[in-house]
Amino acid sequence: GILQLRTSTDGGANYDATASDYEHRMLYVVGAGVGSTSDGGSTNIPIAGFETAFSNGVGNASGEEGVSGTVMIFHPHLAKRTGVRAITALRRADGGTIMLHDIFGERKSAADVDAVRFLFSNGNLGSGTITMYGLRNA
Protein backbone atom coordinates (compact mmCIF):
# COMPACT_ATOMS: atom_id res chain seq x y z
CA GLY A 1 0.00 0.00 0.00
CA ILE A 2 0.83 3.68 0.06
CA LEU A 3 1.49 5.52 3.33
CA GLN A 4 -0.48 8.77 3.11
CA LEU A 5 -1.16 11.95 5.07
CA ARG A 6 -4.39 13.94 5.39
CA THR A 7 -5.08 17.18 7.27
CA SER A 8 -7.87 18.46 9.52
CA THR A 9 -8.95 21.96 10.49
CA ASP A 10 -11.41 20.91 13.22
CA GLY A 11 -9.19 19.07 15.70
CA GLY A 12 -9.43 15.72 13.94
CA ALA A 13 -13.23 15.44 13.82
CA ASN A 14 -12.97 15.38 9.99
CA TYR A 15 -10.04 14.91 7.60
CA ASP A 16 -10.11 16.44 4.14
CA ALA A 17 -10.22 13.67 1.54
CA THR A 18 -11.79 14.89 -1.69
CA ALA A 19 -10.02 14.68 -5.03
CA SER A 20 -9.11 18.38 -5.06
CA ASP A 21 -7.78 18.81 -1.50
CA TYR A 22 -4.04 18.14 -2.07
CA GLU A 23 -1.30 18.21 -4.67
CA HIS A 24 2.21 16.79 -4.67
CA ARG A 25 5.47 16.30 -6.57
CA MET A 26 7.63 13.21 -5.99
CA LEU A 27 11.07 11.96 -6.94
CA TYR A 28 11.83 8.28 -6.36
CA VAL A 29 14.73 5.88 -6.76
CA VAL A 30 14.25 2.11 -7.00
CA GLY A 31 17.37 0.07 -7.70
CA ALA A 32 18.74 1.57 -10.91
CA GLY A 33 15.40 3.19 -11.78
CA VAL A 34 14.81 6.87 -11.17
CA GLY A 35 11.55 8.65 -11.78
CA SER A 36 9.17 11.39 -10.85
CA THR A 37 5.46 11.87 -10.63
CA SER A 38 3.02 14.60 -9.72
CA ASP A 39 -0.65 14.99 -8.99
CA GLY A 40 -2.45 18.32 -8.99
CA GLY A 41 -5.60 17.04 -7.31
CA SER A 42 -5.68 14.11 -4.92
CA THR A 43 -7.36 12.86 -1.74
CA ASN A 44 -4.07 12.75 0.22
CA ILE A 45 -0.34 13.43 0.15
CA PRO A 46 1.59 10.19 -0.44
CA ILE A 47 4.45 9.70 2.03
CA ALA A 48 5.91 6.36 0.90
CA GLY A 49 5.17 3.42 -1.36
CA PHE A 50 3.88 5.26 -4.38
CA GLU A 51 2.84 2.43 -6.68
CA THR A 52 4.57 2.69 -10.01
CA ALA A 53 6.03 0.21 -12.45
CA PHE A 54 8.96 -0.04 -9.99
CA SER A 55 7.05 -0.63 -6.75
CA ASN A 56 4.57 -2.90 -5.04
CA GLY A 57 4.11 -0.45 -2.18
CA VAL A 58 4.73 -0.83 1.55
CA GLY A 59 4.23 -4.19 3.24
CA ASN A 60 4.36 -5.50 6.80
CA ALA A 61 4.71 -9.26 6.26
CA SER A 62 7.80 -11.27 7.19
CA GLY A 63 10.86 -9.80 5.45
CA GLU A 64 9.13 -6.49 4.73
CA GLU A 65 10.61 -3.76 6.86
CA GLY A 66 8.01 -0.99 6.68
CA VAL A 67 8.85 2.70 6.24
CA SER A 68 11.48 4.94 7.83
CA GLY A 69 11.88 8.62 7.25
CA THR A 70 11.15 12.19 8.18
CA VAL A 71 8.00 14.19 7.51
CA MET A 72 8.13 17.96 7.96
CA ILE A 73 4.94 20.03 8.12
CA PHE A 74 5.26 23.71 7.22
CA HIS A 75 3.21 26.54 8.82
CA PRO A 76 0.14 24.51 9.82
CA HIS A 77 -0.86 27.14 12.40
CA LEU A 78 -1.32 29.86 9.75
CA ALA A 79 -4.29 30.32 7.44
CA LYS A 80 -2.10 29.43 4.44
CA ARG A 81 -1.52 26.35 2.32
CA THR A 82 0.08 23.84 4.68
CA GLY A 83 3.15 22.22 3.08
CA VAL A 84 4.46 18.71 3.72
CA ARG A 85 7.96 17.42 2.85
CA ALA A 86 8.67 13.72 3.27
CA ILE A 87 11.96 11.88 2.76
CA THR A 88 11.36 8.17 3.21
CA ALA A 89 12.84 4.75 2.49
CA LEU A 90 11.36 1.27 2.44
CA ARG A 91 11.93 -2.24 1.19
CA ARG A 92 9.34 -3.03 -1.46
CA ALA A 93 6.41 -5.23 -0.42
CA ASP A 94 7.58 -7.99 -2.77
CA GLY A 95 10.89 -8.16 -0.84
CA GLY A 96 12.68 -6.37 -3.67
CA THR A 97 15.12 -3.50 -3.59
CA ILE A 98 15.05 -0.50 -1.31
CA MET A 99 12.90 2.37 -2.57
CA LEU A 100 13.67 6.02 -1.75
CA HIS A 101 11.17 8.91 -1.96
CA ASP A 102 11.50 12.69 -1.79
CA ILE A 103 8.05 14.26 -1.78
CA PHE A 104 6.63 17.76 -1.42
CA GLY A 105 2.90 18.20 -1.19
CA GLU A 106 0.48 20.75 0.08
CA ARG A 107 -3.07 21.29 1.14
CA LYS A 108 -4.59 23.26 -1.74
CA SER A 109 -6.73 25.56 0.40
CA ALA A 110 -5.57 28.10 2.93
CA ALA A 111 -6.55 27.04 6.46
CA ASP A 112 -5.00 26.49 9.88
CA VAL A 113 -4.30 22.77 10.27
CA ASP A 114 -4.60 21.40 13.80
CA ALA A 115 -4.45 17.63 13.17
CA VAL A 116 -2.90 15.19 10.68
CA ARG A 117 -3.67 11.55 9.99
CA PHE A 118 -1.28 8.92 8.68
CA LEU A 119 -3.05 6.08 6.90
CA PHE A 120 -2.46 3.37 4.33
CA SER A 121 -4.24 3.13 1.00
CA ASN A 122 -5.18 -0.47 1.77
CA GLY A 123 -5.73 -1.14 5.45
CA ASN A 124 -4.51 -0.10 8.86
CA LEU A 125 -1.01 0.54 10.16
CA GLY A 126 0.12 -2.87 11.45
CA SER A 127 2.64 -1.63 14.00
CA GLY A 128 5.32 0.98 14.50
CA THR A 129 6.00 4.35 16.01
CA ILE A 130 5.25 7.85 14.80
CA THR A 131 6.86 10.56 16.92
CA MET A 132 5.80 14.18 16.42
CA TYR A 133 8.06 17.05 17.41
CA GLY A 134 7.19 20.74 17.35
CA LEU A 135 9.30 23.82 16.86
CA ARG A 136 8.53 26.97 18.76
CA ASN A 137 7.90 30.18 16.83
CA ALA A 138 10.53 32.78 17.61
Side-chain angles (χ1 to χ4, degrees), residues 29-85:
V29 179
V30 183
V34 176
S36 65
T37 187
S38 64
D39 191 338
S42 63
T43 61
N44 60 71
I45 298 172
I47 301 299
F50 193 76
E51 295 178 14
T52 67
F54 298 115
S55 174
N56 291 352
V58 180
N60 66 355
S62 177
E64 298 171 345
E65 299 165 9
V67 177
S68 294
T70 301
V71 177
M72 296 165 278
I73 301 172
F74 299 99
H75 47 72
H77 62 295
L78 301 176
K80 294 185 174 191
R81 290 180 172 218
T82 296
V84 175
R85 170 101 189 266

Side-chain angles (χ1 to χ4, degrees), residues 28-35 54 90 92 96-100:
Y28 56 87
V29 179
V30 183
V34 176
F54 298 115
L90 62 102
R92 289 182 1 195
T97 59
I98 293 173
M99 184 173 197
L100 306 173

